[in-house]
Amino acid sequence: MKKTADLHVPYQKAASCGFLCWPLIALLIGWSASSYAGRDIDQDEALYLVEQGVIQPLQTFIDDALERFPGRFLEAELEWDDGRYVYELEIVTETRRVLELEYDAVTGKLLDVDEDD
């Protein structure tokens, strides 16, 4: 009879650990997902990536954006997002629309165009 009682002790410990460990596991999964999404790249790292041939220079994307949407270049950011380097450019068109263009910094492909409100 004592052996049967002893067999339940590991299950009770595992059950209490599972009850306490799930919030910790959920927190770690949430942290890793948020840390993976959208890391800003500073100018020193961007320069290094261009010099190493990993990404294309920003001017390439500015020229393309203004050819597609004539106007003025406002600002740009380089991010590591969804497993790739992405340039986000903001321009104001000749018709005064503010557009945000996203480019794959490695391939040069235009990924998205959004109009800011």
Side-chain angles (χ1 to χ4, degrees):
M1 184 89 137
K2 185 165 173 102
K3 288 185 180 181
T4 323
D6 290 338
L7 291 176
H8 295 301
V9 173
Y11 296 118
Q12 290 171 347
K13 288 181 181 178
S16 65
C17 178
F19 177 73
L20 296 174
C21 293
W22 279 112
L24 179 60
I25 292 169
L27 178 66
L28 290 174
I29 290 171
W31 175 78
S32 65
S34 67
S35 66
Y36 186 71
R39 179 178 69 89
D40 289 338
I41 307 298
D42 66 26
Q43 64 188 21
D44 293 329
E45 187 176 355
L47 179 60
Y48 176 80
L49 292 168
V50 170
E51 289 173 343
Q52 297 300 310
V54 175
I55 63 172
Q56 297 181 35
L58 174 60
Q59 191 63 49
T60 304
F61 300 100
I62 294 172
D63 294 344
D64 183 75
L66 293 176
E67 185 176 315
R68 291 174 189 261
F69 304 98
R72 287 184 326 176
F73 167 73
L74 297 176
E75 67 177 337
E77 292 180 8
L78 178 61
E79 294 183 345
W80 176 256
D81 193 16
D82 292 330
R84 63 180 165 197
Y85 291 105
V86 175
Y87 276 116
E88 294 180 358
L89 279 67
E90 197 168 284
I91 62 168
V92 59
T93 67
E94 292 173 345
T95 58
R96 298 180 188 249
R97 292 176 28 212
V98 177
L99 301 178
E100 182 178 288
L101 292 82
E102 291 186 2
Y103 288 92
D104 184 307
V106 175
T107 66
K109 179 181 176 187
L110 180 61
L111 302 172
D112 192 27
V113 178
D114 288 325
E115 185 169 359
D116 284 353
D117 298 328

